[in-house]
Amino acid sequence: MFTFAAAVFFLIITPGPGVLSAAGVGAAYGMRSGLRYVLGLFIGNILVILAVVTGLAALVLANPLVRNVLFALSTAYLLYLAMRIAFAGSTLAFRPAQSEPGVLAGILLQPINPKAYAVNTALFSGFAIFPDALVVEAIWKLIVVNLIWVPIHVLWVWLGVRLKALNLARERQRLINYAMAGSMLIVVALAVFAELRG
């Protein structure tokens, strides 16, 4: 369970379209707008989890080859994302918001967010906690994921609000990107470790 919770933490805290756009909304429109947007992201993420658990999870668990292929694809995407973050240079990898997004914008982002599918596929198919009780496992994972997901997204909104007020030196911005990329690599290592143990 600890390995799963650690993977959830590092997968969610590292930059992807959801957290970066949440930080961007916080930076552009403030905490209240950011929280509305995060509510939409939350609802959208639940929809993605349900899609993974009810569709892909059954396929993955029935066919080890498909499971391994999906695990490899999601791991490759996470490595790609870590490289993009690490080599972003001295610009923080936030995507600026062009107009004030609300709950609906957050809901609509998640079904087209490849990180949401990669993360949830890795989490719900790669970490066997109760292998003989798949429904119990899915419920526990859903609870753990959301206990970590919600505060992290609120934190990213707050960071967006706070970072807007700072004028960081280029070297500090580069170090932040390296730290975010390093967190993503830790997630990949945890996922591979859990897969080898299973």
Side-chain angles (χ1 to χ4, degrees):
M1 183 66 85
F2 174 76
T3 301
F4 176 74
V8 171
F9 176 81
F10 286 111
L11 279 168
I12 294 173
I13 203 163
T14 53
V19 294
L20 293 180
S21 61
V25 171
Y29 301 105
M31 196 71 183
R32 184 174 294 180
S33 293
L35 292 177
R36 277 196 302 270
Y37 181 70
V38 165
L39 175 61
L41 289 176
F42 173 78
I43 295 167
N45 195 54
I46 294 295
L47 295 174
V48 170
I49 289 171
L50 290 174
V52 167
V53 169
T54 60
L56 290 179
L59 180 62
V60 166
L61 293 172
N63 187 333
L65 177 62
V66 174
R67 176 185 169 141
N68 290 336
V69 167
L70 286 175
F71 179 76
L73 290 174
S74 62
T75 300
Y77 173 74
L78 295 173
L79 287 171
Y80 162 76
L81 192 55
M83 287 180 10
R84 277 191 57 199
I85 294 162
F87 298 115
S90 60
T91 303
L92 288 172
F94 286 2
R95 292 184 181 187
Q98 300 299 321
S99 62
E100 184 172 356
V103 175
L104 183 59
I107 293 171
L108 294 176
L109 173 67
Q110 294 295 58
I112 61 169
N113 177 357
K115 184 185 175 196
Y117 288 98
V119 166
N120 288 311
T121 299
L123 292 175
F124 283 87
S125 68
F127 294 85
I129 299 170
F130 302 110
D132 297 325
L134 297 179
V135 174
V136 171
E137 179 175 315
I139 291 169
W140 270 105
K141 286 181 176 181
L142 186 64
I143 291 168
V144 171
V145 165
N146 286 310
L147 285 174
I148 296 169
W149 191 100
V150 171
I152 286 176
H153 280 73
V154 171
L155 174 66
W156 273 95
V157 172
W158 181 81
L159 287 173
V161 171
R162 297 300 304 150
L163 283 175
K164 182 180 180 183
L166 300 177
N167 187 13
L168 296 176
R170 293 172 67 86
E171 187 58 35
R172 287 189 187 243
Q173 292 175 348
R174 188 175 291 116
L175 289 174
I176 290 171
N177 286 342
Y178 288 157
M180 291 187 292
S183 295
M184 187 72 75
L185 293 176
I186 289 170
V187 165
V188 171
L190 286 171
V192 169
F193 175 73
E195 192 67 19
L196 293 175
R197 283 184 59 200

